Amino acid sequence: MTFLKSLFIHKQLYIYLAVTSVCFLLSYWLSALFSIAWILTVIILVLLFIDLLLLYQPKNAINARRILPDKFSNSDNNPVPITITNKYSFKTYVDIIDELPVQFQKRDFVYKTTLGPSQNHDFDYMVRPVDRGEYYFGHLNIFVSSVLKIIKRKYRFQNEQMVMVYPSIIQMQKYDFLAISNSLTQIGLKKIRRIGNTSEFEQIKEYISGDDFRTVNWKATAKRAQLMVNQYQDEKSQPIYSIIDTGRVMKMPFNGLKLLDYAINSALAFSNVALKKHDKVGLLSFSKNIESFLPAIHKLTYLNRILETLYNIDTQFNDSDFGLLYAQLKRKVTHRSLLLLYTNFEHLSALKRQMPYLQAISKKHMLVVVLFENTELEIIIKENAEDLQSIYHKTIAEKFAFEKRLMVKELQKHGIQAILTPPEKLTINTINKYLEIKARGLL
């Protein structure tokens, strides 16, 4: 039974059989072809027997292994390495079919290669998950054929390997070293002009060209007989909270990823940067209820707890209760903090309903409301309107896009900072706003 399960016919054999069948058919009119057809039949049977011996005489002539990490990074291309060893003493043709998790909805994965005698071959392919959770890989199937290409022998390796898909760790690491090297402007962030100095003194240093003359320390200058200036740094240990709305408005998908997942990826990368800037970071998620709350702490290992909490966040089908959010912040967050609220409003009236709560929060804290641009509307707006229906669609799209900009103005009118960003640029724009607030000493 195991033998039959591993035995497959190579498509080349069907070609041989088709040629033989045509010879038998034509032999009805040309009798000489009848003998040729039988000779071809015998040759095919002999080749079949030889191919069986070549492929099945060694018991375990192929070894293969799929190497999976403990975690995948959501919304990123994650490599899946595969290594294969050919122990046959002849050249083999290999088809590799990996049984991917059902979430990818891909059933046509195949990788073809040729292996020489006793040759090792390593390769990897990319997968891009768009949902957090558990992903189960099935068998790694290897189909081997010889140069005769009569049959294939199937090998099966590994089964039920599980990988956890977490918020974008790759994105977090990308902005990690940029934050340390203060090179965030290299990836499209605007350069922040510092207005004055922050209040935390760091050191006295020698004056170099470009230093502000207002920071000259005259006492140190007199002692050293050369210009010395005071150097200041951003204030440290300021509480920073990422607040994620998990209501139904965050279910909207862009490029296969929900707005909630964009917010989660951004919150993770932003929290990492804030920790590297020596600030305290916390997390809160809410919809109809307060689903998770992590107080602001400055501890690098705290990032693991934030990661685990973000992993378990999911969207709800309810409208979010901003009154409950205000009550939770008033009770739990007693010090003035920077609050980045990831949410979305599609209509100005929806924002105005929540404005009293947002105003109440901003009286005590530095509140930044993060709104998402509808990039699908931008595509419609840029298209040429050639008929009445397309004119109607373009007009409605421009109306919705204009309302988004009005929301930003409405928030700013009430003294609330706002970010209107395409989903794919969320992390960049969020970190940029954080650095701007730090540089201007607004917190």
Side-chain angles (χ1 to χ4, degrees):
M1 184 62 70
T2 305
F3 168 76
L4 292 177
K5 286 183 177 180
S6 67
L7 179 62
F8 287 80
I9 296 174
H10 198 288
K11 64 179 181 180
Q12 197 76 21
L13 178 59
Y14 292 106
I15 297 174
Y16 300 152
L17 293 175
V19 172
T20 305
S21 300
V22 169
C23 289
F24 275 115
L25 179 63
L26 294 177
S27 66
Y28 183 80
W29 296 280
L30 301 171
S31 57
L33 290 177
F34 187 75
S35 301
I36 295 174
W38 273 110
I39 292 171
L40 290 175
T41 303
V42 172
I43 291 172
I44 290 172
L45 289 173
V46 171
L47 291 177
L48 174 63
F49 180 74
I50 294 172
D51 214 10
L52 283 169
L53 287 178
L54 288 173
L55 294 177
Y56 281 90
Q57 192 173 21
K59 288 186 177 180
N60 297 303
I62 293 290
N63 282 331
R65 187 161 61 101
R66 176 179 56 216
I67 305 167
L68 292 176
D70 294 330
K71 299 182 179 90
F72 275 160
S73 179
N74 193 23
S75 77
D76 296 312
N77 287 323
N78 299 267
V80 179
I82 291 178
T83 179
I84 181 170
T85 303
N86 176 30
K87 296 181 181 178
Y88 285 109
S89 58
F90 52 86
K91 180 180 177 181
T92 57
Y93 300 88
V94 178
D95 295 343
I96 301 169
I97 298 177
D98 201 359
E99 296 176 1
L100 299 177
V102 65
Q103 289 94 331
F104 294 120
Q105 290 297 299
K106 186 175 178 62
R107 294 293 177 266
D108 58 351
F109 174 87
V110 61
Y111 177 83
K112 298 178 181 289
T113 188
T114 304
L115 298 177
S118 303
Q119 181 185 352
N120 293 329
H121 180 64
D122 298 319
F123 75 98
D124 57 64
Y125 63 90
M126 297 292 179
V127 292
R128 181 181 180 265
V130 293
D131 285 305
R132 285 162 290 118
E134 298 178 350
Y135 283 58
Y136 289 91
F137 284 77
H139 287 102
L140 177 62
N141 302 289
I142 312 293
F143 294 86
V144 184
S145 57
S146 68
V147 291
L148 299 177
K149 295 185 179 181
I150 303 295
I151 61 168
K152 292 182 180 180
R153 180 179 177 181
K154 179 182 177 182
Y155 291 86
R156 300 185 82 181
F157 302 94
Q158 298 172 299
N159 188 27
E160 288 296 312
Q161 283 186 287
M162 190 267 287
V163 179
M164 308 282 282
V165 175
Y166 273 77
S168 182
I169 301 169
I170 292 175
Q171 192 177 110
M172 180 192 73
Q173 293 170 342
K174 173 185 176 182
Y175 296 112
D176 185 15
F177 79 89
L178 290 172
I180 294 171
S181 63
N182 294 317
S183 303
L184 285 160
T185 52
Q186 294 177 5
I187 53 171
L189 296 176
K190 65 181 180 182
K191 191 173 182 179
I192 304 301
R193 177 175 174 262
R194 290 182 176 271
I195 302 176
N197 291 319
T198 51
S199 59
E200 199 161 309
F201 174 79
E202 184 178 13
Q203 64 177 348
I204 300 173
K205 69 181 186 71
E206 293 181 8
Y207 172 84
I208 59 173
S209 179
D211 284 340
D212 191 345
F213 280 109
R214 291 173 297 178
T215 63
V216 173
N217 188 316
W218 295 109
K219 287 184 178 180
T221 299
K223 287 181 180 179
R224 297 288 297 273
Q226 60 178 340
L227 275 177
M228 305 293 292
V229 294
N230 294 331
Q231 183 174 342
Y232 297 89
Q233 62 181 356
D234 292 331
E235 289 188 28
K236 298 179 180 179
S237 298
Q238 294 177 305
I240 316 289
Y241 282 87
S242 297
I243 303 175
I244 301 176
D245 181 357
T246 61
R248 61 185 179 85
V249 294
M250 299 295 280
K251 279 186 175 289
M252 188 180 295
F254 287 95
N255 295 327
L257 205 66
K258 291 181 291 191
L259 291 183
L260 176 69
D261 286 299
Y262 282 107
I264 286 172
N265 291 343
S266 174
L268 180 63
F270 163 74
S271 297
N272 184 50
V273 170
L275 282 171
K276 292 291 173 27
K277 293 289 185 182
H278 307 287
D279 281 327
K280 300 175 183 177
V281 296
L283 178 70
L284 189 153
S285 64
F286 77 104
S287 60
K288 202 69 175 173
N289 302 299
I290 301 298
E291 295 166 5
S292 62
F293 177 76
L294 296 178
I297 294 176
H298 175 243
K299 197 176 181 182
L300 286 177
T301 54
Y302 197 51
L303 195 64
N304 291 327
R305 189 173 174 188
I306 293 174
L307 179 63
E308 292 296 334
T309 304
L310 289 171
Y311 171 79
N312 292 300
I313 292 176
D314 199 4
T315 47
Q316 307 298 321
F317 289 96
N318 304 312
D319 287 325
S320 298
D321 188 343
F322 282 78
L324 180 65
L325 172 64
Y326 167 68
Q328 176 76 2
L329 291 173
K330 186 176 181 180
R331 187 171 62 253
K332 294 289 187 180
V333 184
T334 55
H335 297 287
R336 180 172 171 81
S337 306
L338 171 60
L339 310 178
L340 280 116
L341 172 59
Y342 297 90
T343 186
N344 198 39
F345 299 105
E346 288 300 323
H347 302 282
L348 187 59
S349 58
L351 173 63
K352 288 184 175 179
R353 284 198 301 270
Q354 309 301 342
M355 187 60 75
Y357 300 115
L358 298 178
Q359 283 182 269
I361 294 170
S362 67
K363 285 180 181 178
K364 187 174 181 181
H365 304 284
M366 169 59 66
L367 177 62
V368 179
V369 178
V370 182
L371 302 174
F372 294 87
E373 286 183 12
N374 192 329
T375 52
E376 298 297 325
L377 293 180
E378 295 300 322
I379 295 172
I380 296 174
I381 291 170
K382 290 177 182 177
E383 288 179 351
N384 293 325
E386 298 177 351
D387 52 42
L388 187 62
Q389 186 176 15
S390 59
I391 291 172
Y392 174 77
H393 289 162
K394 187 170 182 176
T395 304
I396 296 299
E398 287 177 346
K399 177 181 178 295
F400 278 112
F402 179 67
E403 274 206 12
K404 284 283 187 178
R405 294 191 291 273
L406 277 182
M407 291 178 202
V408 174
K409 295 295 183 184
E410 185 72 17
L411 289 165
Q412 291 173 345
K413 185 175 72 174
H414 291 90
I416 300 172
Q417 298 277 341
I419 302 173
L420 179 60
T421 175
E424 63 272 12
K425 294 182 179 179
L426 173 63
T427 302
I428 293 175
N429 291 334
T430 302
I431 295 175
N432 187 57
K433 176 60 75 172
Y434 162 70
L435 294 178
E436 178 187 352
I437 290 171
K438 292 285 286 182
R440 295 174 62 187
L442 297 178
L443 182 56

